[in-house]
Amino acid sequence: MITIKSDYEIQLMRKANQIVRDTLNLLEDKIKEGMTTAQLNKIAHDYIVKCDAIPSFLGYSGFPASICTSINEQVVHGIPSDKVVIKEGDIVSVDCGSIYKGYNGDAARTFMIGKVSEEKAKLVEVTKQSFFEGVKILKEGVRLGDLGHAIQSYAESHGYGVVRALVGHGIGKEMHEDPEVPNYGREGHGMRLRKNMTIAIEPMINMGTHEVYMLNDGWTVVTADGMPSAHYENTVWIKEDGVEILSL
């Protein structure tokens, strides 16, 4: 069911997303070679709780941590661990969520550790820009197929694969609400976005094939060809004449 948010609900979602934004900014400041992903998780967890919010990922369908940490060929849903050490040249995607007074915020960033290859740096930048290429066209009445097409065409113009097995989503009282928000699509197709809908747009872009598979841990999704992947996400409020990006 599609939920249309009231002004009061938007205020709470704005706060939840500001907490997520600030958590990710804190992690960007702290992340470095030699850290474990478990250390990153603790920093994020402690900050979210300090903000009188709840880490929404912790316990979600049994997920055991407060953030997802996905390195290099890992696309999404990597589990933080004290056995996973961040290395020079890695790209680390961090997905983060919080619940503030019953409403969800959700965003993701891909961080570059030290000196990364030109190829990885370009992938991270194109993934981020693909989000903004989609957002450029958004306002009330735009179709989801148009959004997906804008993201897909930009990423594919650089020779990258757009993950299809995983998509963005509506968000509000629940972290995952209707509708699904694909990062690919056909112009002129799909449902029309309505004023005061809130959606999480999250391009997952691979350097090689768009194909992915899940590891035996039941969570971590990796590229089928072992090539790097990047992830960039924000929660967006649809307005009559554009959008507000709540997590920026």
Side-chain angles (χ1 to χ4, degrees), residues 12-28 43-45 47-49 51 53-57 66-67 94-100 103-109 111 171 175 200 233-235 246-248:
L12 295 178
M13 289 192 67
R14 184 181 287 116
K15 178 62 176 179
N17 279 284
Q18 287 170 347
I19 292 168
V20 171
R21 174 200 66 196
D22 293 345
T23 303
L24 289 167
N25 287 342
L26 176 63
L27 294 180
E28 184 174 23
I43 293 168
H45 178 93
Y47 183 79
I48 292 169
V49 171
C51 294
I54 299 168
S56 55
F57 292 3
S66 296
I67 57 173
V94 177
D95 198 350
C96 180
S98 80
I99 304 170
Y100 180 77
Y103 285 84
N104 280 269
D106 190 10
R109 305 285 184 265
F111 302 129
I171 183 170
M175 181 160 57
E233 176 185 17
N234 284 299
T235 297
L246 298 176
S247 48
L248 275 183

Side-chain angles (χ1 to χ4, degrees), residues 153-165:
S153 59
Y154 181 79
E156 289 182 349
S157 74
H158 291 273
Y160 296 144
V162 179
V163 173
R164 290 159 171 72

Side-chain angles (χ1 to χ4, degrees), residues 85-129:
V85 179
I86 297 165
K87 300 179 179 65
E88 172 88 11
D90 282 344
I91 55 173
V92 183
S93 297
V94 177
D95 198 350
C96 180
S98 80
I99 304 170
Y100 180 77
K101 295 187 177 180
Y103 285 84
N104 280 269
D106 190 10
R109 305 285 184 265
T110 299
F111 302 129
M112 296 182 282
I113 310 304
K115 186 176 181 181
V116 305
S117 68
E118 291 183 7
E119 292 81 6
K120 283 184 176 178
K122 180 181 176 184
L123 174 67
V124 171
E125 181 54 35
V126 168
T127 300
K128 178 179 178 180
Q129 187 58 36

